[in-house]
Amino acid sequence: MSKPQVLQIGALSERFNRTLAERYDVTALWQQADPMQFLKEHGATFELLVSSARFGCSGEQLACLPNLSVICSFGVGCDPYPLEQLRDRGIVISTTPDVLNDCVADLAMGLMIDSARQLTAADRFVRAGHWLSGNYPLTHKVSGKKLGIVGLGRIGQAIARRAQGFDMPVRYHKRRQDPDSSYGYAADLLELASWADFLVLACPGGAATHHLIDAKVLSALGPQGILVNIARGSVVDQAALVSALLDGSLGGAGLDVFDGEPAVPQALFGLPNVVLLPHVGSATQETRLSMEELVLANLYAFINNGQLLTPL
Ligand code: 8YV
């Protein structure tokens, strides 16, 4: 019996690519000499698509796939997919929720601690031999500080639970109050930023949250406040963030995501109160394996019973 045909937009791990190719008749779009031309000529062949929160599938690509019925995506972010077009065409999409909550929330805590206590900067200080000439300057306490969370979804809730262990009062902002949550709700983001010592971004990217964190929010967070972003670079007005960090009107930042990543504003490289990570929120052996398994399980479930396990 012939294997189902699958179009894969971008390379994931070698292990994943190999397993997918063992189980299905995979066409690797990134290996085509001219991917767009390939889609124009052969797009109608494909009903099944595998992609990721990084590669997505553009409206232009989607237009070349008239028979597509499903997208199985690696990651939780849906910002690189034209969701309205998918809905209009009845194309279903699965993501990999829940399995990455722990690692992304752990990283958010790590960024809070590192940007306040300057762990990586102090490590650089030791390695450079500066300790021999004097002590590292005093930094800022984390436990007991006020934590504002923007977006109280699965990851935001995992961060809030961890913050309980640090005796941090928690409040959150999202479009609508969560009736099941006992954390304080701030309908007004500026109010939350003025109240918080740490403002952690855990909301989706995309048009609805584009530059939600602007110069006004940063100024409300203030010279003692710390911004942590494990969501998407697009949520923050990056030029405003860089200037607030450079002029000291914002206390610090822990950033795992950037607008235009992997390019990162070089102006931040010398600041000890800023921690810069290369989008590694879910990047552990354990979590990446679970994410891969969930993509494969979704594809299998769709092919065999027409149902996704974790539909958007
Ligand atoms: C992934 C992510 O690193 O899940 C997401 O939305 O941002 C990350 O977990 C990555 O984008 C997967 O391609």
Side-chain angles (χ1 to χ4, degrees):
M1 221 175 78
S2 65
K3 296 176 188 171
Q5 286 209 320
V6 171
L7 178 67
Q8 186 181 359
I9 293 227
L12 293 172
S13 74
E14 262 179 50
R15 170 185 56 201
F16 178 88
N17 298 342
R18 203 184 326 111
T19 310
L20 192 71
E22 278 162 13
R23 298 182 190 174
Y24 303 100
D25 178 2
V26 176
T27 299
L29 187 62
W30 74 95
Q31 287 174 351
Q32 307 306 315
D34 181 343
M36 214 43 227
Q37 190 54 37
F38 175 87
L39 281 183
K40 283 180 189 151
E41 285 167 22
H42 306 284
T45 323
F46 301 101
E47 288 177 45
L48 312 168
L49 180 79
V50 167
S51 189
S52 75
R54 177 171 160 219
F55 303 120
C57 176
S58 68
E60 199 191 355
Q61 290 173 322
L62 202 60
C64 299
L65 298 163
N67 296 314
L68 195 69
S69 35
V70 68
I71 299 176
C72 294
S73 187
F74 175 87
V76 277
C78 283
D79 37 312
Y81 294 102
L83 293 180
E84 252 174 59
Q85 271 188 58
L86 294 181
R87 212 171 300 130
D88 292 349
R89 284 182 46 188
I91 299 168
V92 288
I93 175 166
S94 64
T95 60
T96 59
D98 288 321
V99 293
L100 44 60
N101 296 351
D102 281 344
C103 279
V104 180
D106 290 351
L107 196 87
M109 299 310 289
L111 282 172
M112 275 196 260
I113 296 170
D114 196 344
S115 44
R117 298 294 304 273
Q118 304 190 1
L119 303 188
T120 41
D123 174 274
R124 291 192 291 272
F125 173 89
V126 171
R127 288 173 199 239
H130 296 324
W131 195 14
L132 296 166
S133 332
N135 289 335
Y136 193 78
L138 300 183
T139 59
H140 293 282
K141 184 172 174 176
V142 175
S143 286
K145 293 287 178 70
K146 290 174 275 186
L147 171 62
I149 302 179
V150 179
L152 198 69
R154 298 175 177 99
I155 293 171
Q157 288 177 34
I159 295 168
R161 282 195 300 276
R162 281 158 177 72
Q164 308 292 287
F166 287 79
D167 303 321
M168 300 174 93
V170 174
R171 293 186 191 170
Y172 71 98
H173 168 80
K174 61 194 284 191
R175 264 184 296 184
R176 262 173 245 105
Q177 184 164 7
D178 180 347
D180 300 324
S181 170
S182 56
Y183 303 115
Y185 174 64
D188 182 354
L189 178 55
L190 276 177
E191 203 181 285
L192 183 70
S194 316
W195 170 82
D197 297 305
F198 291 91
L199 191 66
V200 176
L201 310 181
C203 56
T209 57
H210 185 258
H211 287 196
L212 186 66
I213 307 301
D214 57 10
K216 275 198 220 148
V217 176
L218 296 172
S219 142
L221 190 53
Q224 302 300 322
I226 289 180
L227 181 78
V228 168
N229 191 1
I230 46 87
R232 284 293 180 265
S234 61
V235 180
V236 180
D237 176 344
Q238 195 158 278
L241 174 63
V242 170
S243 92
L245 286 165
L246 289 177
D247 69 19
S249 54
L250 180 67
L255 308 170
D256 186 41
V257 288
F258 301 86
D259 226 356
E261 63 187 45
V264 173
Q266 293 217 0
L268 301 179
F269 286 10
L271 301 181
N273 52 339
V274 178
V275 182
L276 306 167
L277 296 183
H279 197 151
V280 289
S282 66
T284 62
Q285 299 283 355
E286 296 86 344
T287 290
R288 286 292 167 85
L289 177 61
S290 304
M291 291 163 70
E292 290 174 8
E293 286 172 349
L294 194 48
V295 174
L296 293 167
N298 268 296
L299 188 57
Y300 182 88
F302 185 83
I303 293 169
N304 289 286
N305 356 303
Q307 295 284 326
L308 288 168
L309 302 177
T310 51
L312 189 64

